[in-house]
Amino acid sequence: MRYSSIRPSHTATPRHASHRIASSAACRPPASIRLGKRWTEFQGANNWDNLLDPLDPTLRSEILRYGSFVQATYSSCDLDTSSPFYASCRFPKHSLLRLSGLPFSGYRVTRNLHATSGSCLPNWAAAAAPASLSRQTSWIGFIAVCHDDAELARLGRRDIVIALRGTVTALEWLDNLRATLTHPTPSCSPTHEPARTDPMVQRGFWSLFTSSSAAHRSLRDQVRDEIRRLLDQYSCDEMSITITGHSLGAALAVLTADDLSTMLGPSKPMVTVVSFAGPRVGNASFRRRMEEQGSKVLRIVNTSDIITKVPGFVDERDKERMVLNWLISKSGWVYADIGRELRVSGRRNANVVVCHDLSHYLQLVNQLSEVCPLVSQVERLPRGWRGTGILASDAL
C-alpha cells in the first residue's frame, strides 16, 4: 500500500490500516436484518419519523453500511503526494470493493468518479509546491449497483450507491473556502435578474461539481450518464439511489441528489442522501426545492464537529435578532441546514480533527443506545474511566 507522509485526518495510517479495513467489512449487516417492504421507510419516505429517537437498529445498520462505502473511497485513494498517481484510484474497478475492505458487499462498481477544481494556486505557491499539490482533477469516488441475489432479497429492491470522499487535495481545500453563495443554474430568461430568494449553493462546492477538464467531464455529467445507463439497464426492477459521503463528499452528495431529482423528474426512483460530517450547502430556497422534489437527506452530525456548523450563518427569524439578521442577509452568507439530523455525541474532545474523523462518526453511531438514543454510550461512561476498545477516540 502507498500512504502519504502528509495525510488528511480522516484517512488510515499504516498502523491502523488493517483495523480500518476490518471494521469496514464488519459493517455488513447480517442476512437476518431484512428490510423487505419497509425499505422506503428506512430510505426516508416518512422523513425517518419514529426511527431516530430511539435509533432503530435496522436503520443503524444501514447507516453503518453506507458509511463503509465512504470508507472504501478513502482506502482506495492514493494519498502519497510523492506518487505520480497521487489522488487517483489505487485499485481496478472490478476489485475496488474487495481490496478496500468490502469483499461481501453484494455490490459491484460500475463507474469511477472524478472531480475538477475551479481554483488555482497563487503563482508564488505553485512555483514552490510539488506538482501533485496543483492537481486539478482527482478521483473522488464511485458508483456501484447491488447485483447479489441474496442482498437484493434483503434490501427489497436494487440499490445504486454513489460514494464520495472528503477533501484531499490542496485545490479542493481552496474550493472549500469559497463560501459565498451562487445560483446553481443560470436564468433561462435574459430579463430575469437572479434574486437572493432564488435557490443558491456554496460557490466552491458547485465549482467542484460542475467543472470539467480535458481528461474528464464534470462530476455532474459523469453521474448523470451512469445513472441513466443503470436505470435503462434495470428498467424492470424496483430501484433506489443512495448518495453517501463524508465532509466535502457529503456536500457534493446533496448537490448530486438535487441534480438527479431535477433530471429524472417525478417518476424517478427514490433518491436519498446519507451524509457524515456534512457542511452547509445552500440557502433556504435550495432546501425548499429539494423538499418539493422529494429528495431525502439524513445528516449524521457530531455535536462537537465544527465543520457541520459552517459555512455562513443560519437566518433565525426572531424579532430580537432582526437587525443582526438584516446584516447577515446582506452578506450573501445566509445558509440553511438541509434534511433530518441524527446527532451523535461522544467524549468531549478539543481535537477538531478527531471530532471530524469518519471512523469516529461510525463508532459513535454504532454505540448509540436504544435507551439513551441521542447520546453515545461513550458520553455516559463515568468521568475518567477508560477502557480498551470502548472510547471512540482511542481507535484513531
Side-chain angles (χ1 to χ4, degrees), residues 266-277:
S267 59
K268 67 182 181 302
M270 192 165 187
V271 177
T272 301
V273 174
V274 179
S275 84
F276 300 89

Side-chain angles (χ1 to χ4, degrees), residues 358-370:
L358 175 60
S359 64
H360 185 63
Y361 265 77
L362 295 182
Q363 291 198 28
L364 291 177
V365 171
N366 193 44
Q367 293 166 3
L368 282 177
S369 165
E370 294 180 49

Side-chain angles (χ1 to χ4, degrees), residues 52 55 60 63-64 275-277 298-306 308-309 340-348 354-369 372-379 392:
L52 300 177
L55 179 61
R60 176 169 51 209
I63 291 171
L64 294 173
S275 84
F276 300 89
L298 179 61
R299 297 180 68 222
I300 294 87
V301 173
N302 179 1
T303 57
S304 301
D305 184 3
I306 193 173
T308 64
K309 302 173 178 65
R340 290 292 300 271
E341 283 191 357
L342 171 63
R343 290 183 168 269
V344 295
S345 179
R347 183 170 59 88
R348 288 183 178 85
V354 170
C355 293
H356 189 60
D357 190 278
L358 175 60
S359 64
H360 185 63
Y361 265 77
L362 295 182
Q363 291 198 28
L364 291 177
V365 171
N366 193 44
Q367 293 166 3
L368 282 177
S369 165
C372 189
L374 301 184
V375 179
S376 166
Q377 295 276 23
V378 171
E379 193 173 67

Side-chain angles (χ1 to χ4, degrees), residues 307-322:
I307 301 301
T308 64
K309 302 173 178 65
V310 297
F313 310 91
V314 174
D315 186 4
E316 298 179 7
R317 297 290 183 180
D318 56 46
K319 294 180 180 179
E320 295 177 359
R321 297 187 54 190
M322 187 175 297

Side-chain angles (χ1 to χ4, degrees), residues 282-295:
N283 65 358
S285 294
F286 178 73
R287 177 181 63 192
R288 283 193 295 272
R289 185 173 77 181
M290 290 197 67
E291 292 171 348
E292 291 167 358
Q293 291 173 338
S295 299

Side-chain angles (χ1 to χ4, degrees), residues 61-231:
S61 72
E62 287 297 284
I63 291 171
L64 294 173
R65 186 172 70 89
Y66 286 119
S68 71
F69 284 112
V70 185
Q71 280 190 321
T73 66
Y74 286 123
S75 300
S76 300
C77 190
D78 188 336
L79 303 175
D80 183 356
T81 56
S82 64
S83 168
F85 306 106
Y86 172 66
S88 64
C89 185
R90 300 192 298 129
F91 305 132
K93 185 172 64 176
H94 67 274
S95 56
L96 186 154
L97 293 177
R98 175 175 61 83
L99 294 176
S100 63
L102 294 175
F104 307 113
S105 68
Y107 288 67
R108 61 180 176 84
V109 174
T110 64
R111 180 155 187 165
N112 284 310
L113 298 174
H114 297 79
T116 298
S117 172
S119 299
C120 295
L121 288 175
N123 291 335
W124 61 267
S132 60
L133 295 183
S134 60
R135 182 181 298 275
Q136 287 204 272
T137 299
S138 305
W139 182 85
I140 200 165
F142 57 81
I143 299 177
V145 63
C146 183
H147 72 101
D148 178 75
D149 289 341
E151 186 67 357
L152 288 169
R154 190 189 72 81
L155 294 176
R157 85 283 186 190
R158 189 179 298 275
D159 186 41
I160 299 172
V161 166
I162 304 171
L164 302 165
R165 62 160 173 77
T167 306
V168 167
T169 70
L171 295 186
E172 289 169 359
W173 280 112
L174 290 180
D175 279 324
N176 288 344
L177 298 176
R178 298 168 64 190
T180 55
L181 289 162
T182 187
H183 292 86
T185 53
S187 172
C188 297
S189 170
T191 61
H192 175 70
E193 182 69 22
R196 291 190 189 276
T197 54
D198 292 340
M200 300 179 74
V201 296
Q202 198 255 27
R203 187 178 300 274
F205 300 154
W206 182 249
S207 175
L208 274 168
F209 187 54
T210 58
S211 296
S212 59
S213 65
H216 296 282
R217 300 175 69 193
S218 69
L219 175 60
R220 175 173 64 173
D221 288 341
Q222 294 169 55
V223 171
R224 284 181 170 186
D225 289 349
E226 185 63 10
I227 292 300
R228 285 194 188 103
R229 188 188 72 80
L230 290 174
L231 293 181

